[in-house]
Amino acid sequence: MANLSSFASSLFWATFKRDLILAFRHKGDMVNPLVFFLIAITMIPLALGPEKAVLMRIAPGIIWVMALLATLLSLDSLFRSDFDDGSLEQLLIAPYPLALSVFAKILVHWLATGLPLTLMAPLLGVMLSLPANAFAALCYSLLLGTAAMSLIGAVGAALTVSLRKGGVLISLIVMPLYIPILIFGASAVQTAALGEAYNMQLAVLGAGLAIALLLAPLAAAGALRVSVNA
Amino acid sequence: MNWQWLHRLGSPRWFYEKTNAWLPWLMVCAWGLLLVGGIWGLGFAPEDAKQRNSYRILYIHAPVAFISMSCYYIMAISGAVGLIWKMKLPFMVMKAAAPIGLGLTIVVLATGSIWGKPTWGTWWEWDARLTSYLILSFLYLGVIALQQAFQNRDTADKASAILALVGTVNIPIIYKSVDWWYTLHQPATLKIVGKSTIDPSMLYPLFVMIVGFYVFFTLVLILHTRTEILRRESRSQWVKDLVLGKSNTKGEGAES
Amino acid sequence: MTAAPALLELRNLACERDERYLFAQLNANFYAGQVVQILGPNGSGKTTLLRILAGVSKDFYGDIFWQSQPLKDTAWEYANDLLYLGHLPGIKKSLTPFENLRWYAAVQGGVADADLIKALAQVQLAGYENTPCYRLSAGQLRRVALARLAFSRAKVWVLDEPFTALDKSGVAELEAKLIAHAAAGGLVLVTSHQDINVPNLQLLNLLDFPVDAQLLNSHEDAAYG
């Protein structure tokens, strides 16, 4: 039994470490969503005018929407290279629960995109003159929200991995599923900006993350089995 | 033993032949109920005190709204049955249900916005219910787009079934969050139908319409499924016999 | 001849792709100690059969038995005893050969690093352990994938076109490996477009299992005129 569990942890860790190395070797994949995030946010004052009151009002929503779009952009690469080089097949037939190794991949995806997005968000908050008391809420909500988005997005990425042009389709099928996260995430920041308590929104985001943790790896694993069969 | 009927149920041919007999009955029921409910609701139900006659669009809006939601669950459950028991028929039902559901949500949105014009004075209001149905139509669009994207039919079926199931988990969450979002941003004074404003005499025709629309929906779903069966089974002997038999009785035996 | 029961047994296997049957009523027994080459022209379903045997694809009719047990009940044991080398080599180009093999070592439950270095030396890649794979040639990439055979503990090897891109000495080395694996009581199922030089090579021609109209009528859903 101990043997089995040490074995069980090893493919999870091997996949985790391998993907982490890959993420650092393909820095472009990691940096591009961040650059997109930055440029897209810069567009807002250019389009609406630099009036502080306006920017302050819309900053929570805009930052959240842009973070969501940046996450969407990064999803297509989640399983793509594994599918193209054949290692996805190997993952599928390995004597190891597929949902766990998929979870290792999602974890790396979040570390490589969701976490940097979260860390970068305060900077963009300054650019959009977000009220000072909303910065903590911005970070907490994005921390939980990007993790849930990586998990849910993985299902979309797994469903479309065998399609040559899956990029737009992923956005189409995943975006509606992101709506609750967006509502509560943006609301947390907005509420904080008004100086009120935002515990409730964070609790809901946490609950959403818990459900996603439970179900998304399983659904993504099932979707991968279907996709690889194509 | 008990599985026998399930497998018969899973046979497209059995379904096609069985439903032959149901179609006329369903058609009569659907048109009868819709006519009765429609005339009753539009012509004889009392006028609403505040909204005058404009509320009568409720007799279409509400039933279609109910069904467009059930349709998603029918689609998802069919997909799940197909995935679990590896049957072909449920996937055909699922594929037939998706465009119907999309059509229904479009009707909900259209009637809602027509209703909104005299009530709110705008064609579109970010009302919780309309917003939810807009999102529901996006979910249908996603399932249809995914279904269309695959060359291989089996993959298309299974992939869209998984997506539909993920959507099922999400729908209650989306609804709750949109409701919550709505109460956060707007005081709930704009609700179209407050519970107190509905008089029982307005409700009876509504029930008739709901049942009528359900029967009508069943009819359309069966017809679409039958088309899908013929399309997919076009190479099998029984479909060939069916088509040849029909053309023979018509006296046109021409075949290349 | 062989008294031992078949390692792998296919019963009535049939496979349908896009409303077309690739093969049907495929019955075969594979025994320990065999090297079996699967034959058939392009599009006859060789790769599909190997993907089914590797457990990648589950879209088929019929039954597969692993050591006399239905595969459904022994999928875990079978997966532990299987090495599948697909059409795609499964090698990450931005990793080094050593990093690639380390992941495969984890797939089968851990192998000492020294053994991985030894495996790379066996496929003539000594000195390339830490060169990124995108710098290697197609033949060398194939060799990285084949290095998995050296530290594999699997009984069954399922190899799809393993000879592709290999030079003459590479082909000879691989053939020697297949012979050694069979001699050690293993089973090799392999496809190849070139002749395989292995004594006692068994052949399985997919053209011997054509689609029979009668059978298809029994499948209710697909019949051909």
Side-chain angles (χ1 to χ4, degrees):
Chain A
M1 212 56 212
N3 199 10
L4 189 73
S5 71
S6 73
F7 169 39
S9 61
S10 79
L11 186 56
F12 179 88
W13 283 117
T15 308
F16 179 78
K17 277 188 288 191
R18 184 196 66 173
D19 276 30
L20 216 52
I21 294 173
L22 284 171
F24 277 104
R25 298 223 173 128
H26 294 264
K27 286 196 189 67
D29 286 353
M30 217 164 108
V31 174
N32 289 352
L34 295 176
V35 177
F36 169 86
F37 195 28
L38 176 68
I39 297 178
I41 291 281
T42 312
M43 298 285 157
I44 302 301
L46 293 177
L48 296 179
E51 209 180 317
K52 265 215 163 117
V54 176
L55 293 181
M56 213 184 227
R57 170 90 182 77
I58 60 169
I62 291 290
I63 294 176
W64 251 93
V65 169
M66 294 306 172
L68 187 151
L69 293 180
T71 310
L72 277 178
L73 275 184
S74 67
L75 283 177
D76 191 45
S77 63
L78 183 48
F79 300 113
R80 174 74 60 208
S81 71
D82 283 9
F83 182 79
D84 287 344
D85 66 24
S87 46
L88 194 57
E89 287 177 345
Q90 300 291 341
L91 204 60
L92 236 69
I93 59 170
Y96 190 78
L98 182 58
L100 275 181
S101 31
V102 166
F103 179 60
K105 293 190 67 69
I106 300 173
L107 202 60
V108 173
H109 177 262
W110 178 74
L111 287 175
T113 58
L115 190 63
L117 282 176
T118 306
L119 296 176
M120 200 174 147
L123 179 71
L124 303 176
V126 172
M127 284 167 66
L128 293 185
S129 35
L130 187 76
N133 46 3
F135 279 88
L138 183 66
C139 288
Y140 290 141
S141 66
L142 277 175
L143 203 64
L144 295 169
T146 51
M149 288 198 286
S150 284
L151 284 158
I152 298 169
V155 183
L159 284 171
T160 53
V161 70
S162 67
L163 299 167
R164 283 291 113 203
K165 288 177 181 162
V168 185
L169 191 61
I170 291 190
S171 308
L172 206 74
I173 63 179
V174 167
M175 252 195 292
L177 305 176
Y178 280 175
I179 287 170
I181 303 170
L182 178 71
I183 289 177
F184 283 97
S187 159
V189 188
Q190 236 151 23
T191 315
L194 297 175
E196 291 164 25
Y198 54 91
N199 304 355
M200 185 279 248
Q201 285 91 329
L202 285 189
V204 174
L205 280 177
L209 177 59
I211 296 174
L213 271 173
L214 212 64
L215 297 180
L218 289 171
L224 284 178
R225 285 197 192 281
V226 169
S227 283
V228 170
N229 236 323
Chain B
M1 287 297 126
N2 267 330
W3 296 102
Q4 202 81 41
W5 67 268
L6 192 72
H7 267 274
R8 267 230 314 253
L9 210 65
S11 149
R13 182 183 179 178
W14 178 87
F15 179 85
Y16 191 90
E17 284 166 0
K18 205 77 187 162
T19 50
N20 255 338
W22 301 351
L23 289 176
W25 294 104
L26 283 171
M27 223 172 293
V28 170
C29 280
W31 286 117
L33 284 165
L34 287 180
L35 271 177
V36 170
I39 293 172
W40 190 356
L42 298 183
F44 296 96
E47 197 171 281
D48 184 76
K50 276 185 214 150
Q51 301 188 35
R52 319 295 287 168
N53 276 322
S54 70
Y55 91 94
R56 291 187 199 276
I57 200 166
L58 169 85
Y59 292 115
I60 296 169
H61 180 80
V64 176
F66 278 134
I67 297 169
S68 67
M69 177 67 81
S70 332
C71 181
Y72 195 93
Y73 283 91
I74 290 172
M75 183 175 83
I77 291 167
S78 310
V81 171
L83 282 178
I84 295 167
W85 283 291
K86 299 189 175 171
M87 293 193 293
K88 293 188 169 185
L89 181 62
F91 284 131
M92 302 185 195
V93 176
M94 180 187 76
K95 193 177 178 193
I100 301 175
L102 179 63
L104 291 170
T105 52
I106 290 172
V107 172
V108 175
L109 293 173
T111 51
S113 101
I114 293 170
W115 194 358
K117 185 65 184 162
T119 316
W120 298 315
T122 60
W123 291 106
W124 181 259
E125 179 73 37
W126 287 97
D127 156 72
R129 193 145 41 116
L130 283 183
T131 309
S132 297
Y133 280 98
L134 185 63
I135 297 169
L136 184 63
S137 73
F138 294 158
L139 290 174
Y140 277 120
L141 272 175
V143 172
I144 295 170
L146 190 65
Q147 177 110 43
Q148 301 292 327
F150 287 98
Q151 301 278 318
N152 182 313
R153 207 180 50 205
D154 290 341
T155 316
D157 285 341
K158 289 178 190 163
S160 42
I162 292 177
L163 181 61
L165 283 172
V166 173
T168 326
V169 177
N170 257 274
I171 281 182
I173 302 175
I174 293 175
Y175 268 63
K176 284 287 162 207
S177 43
V178 169
D179 267 351
W180 180 82
W181 161 83
Y182 182 67
T183 52
L184 187 78
H185 290 277
Q186 269 147 322
T189 47
L190 285 179
K191 275 200 173 169
I192 302 180
V193 194
K195 267 172 198 157
S196 54
T197 62
I198 281 215
D199 190 77
S201 58
M202 291 175 173
L203 278 180
Y204 298 129
L206 184 61
F207 289 141
V208 176
M209 288 300 273
I210 289 175
V211 177
F213 267 109
Y214 262 103
V215 178
F216 179 69
F217 166 72
T218 314
L219 176 71
V220 175
L221 184 60
I222 289 176
L223 285 175
H224 274 252
T225 307
R226 283 163 62 94
T227 314
E228 189 62 28
I229 289 174
L230 291 188
R231 193 177 295 148
R232 291 192 183 192
E233 306 272 291
S234 58
R235 305 176 78 160
S236 74
Q237 201 56 47
W238 71 269
V239 174
K240 281 181 185 167
D241 288 346
L242 189 80
V243 175
L244 284 179
K246 269 187 185 166
S247 62
N248 278 344
T249 53
K250 280 182 194 163
E252 331 164 324
E255 220 203 340
S256 49
Chain C
M1 282 223 292
T2 326
L7 215 50
L8 204 56
E9 198 180 338
L10 317 184
R11 276 196 214 151
N12 261 323
L13 217 61
C15 179
E16 187 192 4
R17 276 288 177 283
D18 298 319
E19 303 179 49
R20 192 175 70 89
Y21 272 83
L22 293 171
F23 48 80
Q25 283 185 306
L26 174 56
N27 287 294
N29 287 341
F30 301 127
Y31 298 94
Q34 281 185 328
V35 179
V36 184
Q37 183 181 6
I38 295 164
L39 301 169
N42 290 336
S44 59
K46 298 188 295 286
T47 292
T48 308
L49 177 62
L50 289 193
R51 282 165 66 89
I52 289 172
L53 291 176
V56 177
S57 171
K58 299 218 160 70
D59 276 354
F60 59 91
Y61 303 101
D63 299 295
I64 302 176
F65 292 86
W66 167 243
Q67 296 183 327
S68 309
Q69 303 286 319
L71 191 60
K72 275 174 216 151
D73 307 338
T74 50
W76 187 268
E77 289 86 345
Y78 181 60
N80 266 305
D81 256 332
L82 171 80
L83 185 146
Y84 169 64
L85 239 176
H87 196 60
L88 299 162
I91 297 301
K92 296 260 169 221
K93 289 216 172 144
S94 22
L95 296 180
T96 66
F98 178 72
E99 286 165 335
N100 269 302
L101 288 190
R102 207 169 46 187
W103 186 74
Y104 280 110
V107 169
Q108 63 163 22
V111 176
D113 284 359
D115 290 338
L116 300 183
I117 302 280
K118 233 183 274 167
L120 282 172
Q122 273 190 35
V123 290
Q124 318 301 336
L125 284 176
Y128 288 94
E129 292 90 351
N130 294 318
T131 313
C133 282
Y134 57 77
R135 295 231 182 100
L136 302 182
S137 71
Q140 285 175 312
L141 272 183
R142 180 59 64 175
R143 282 166 183 269
V144 176
L146 289 170
R148 289 174 58 198
L149 300 178
F151 60 86
S152 158
R153 291 190 282 260
K155 254 189 211 143
V156 181
W157 291 358
V158 175
L159 313 174
D160 194 357
E161 299 287 347
F163 295 98
T164 317
L166 286 183
D167 56 17
K168 259 190 188 155
S169 67
V171 171
E173 284 160 24
L174 179 53
E175 281 169 352
K177 239 178 226 163
L178 302 189
I179 296 167
H181 183 64
L187 166 64
V188 181
L189 303 168
V190 59
T191 60
S192 169
H193 282 299
Q194 55 205 91
D195 293 329
I196 303 176
N197 194 6
V198 164
N200 242 330
L201 181 71
Q202 311 286 314
L203 300 176
L204 177 80
N205 195 333
L206 287 180
L207 289 183
D208 294 343
F209 305 95
V211 181
D212 175 355
Q214 279 224 309
L215 162 95
L216 292 178
N217 280 329
S218 72
H219 273 287
E220 186 218 43
D221 50 322
Y224 285 65

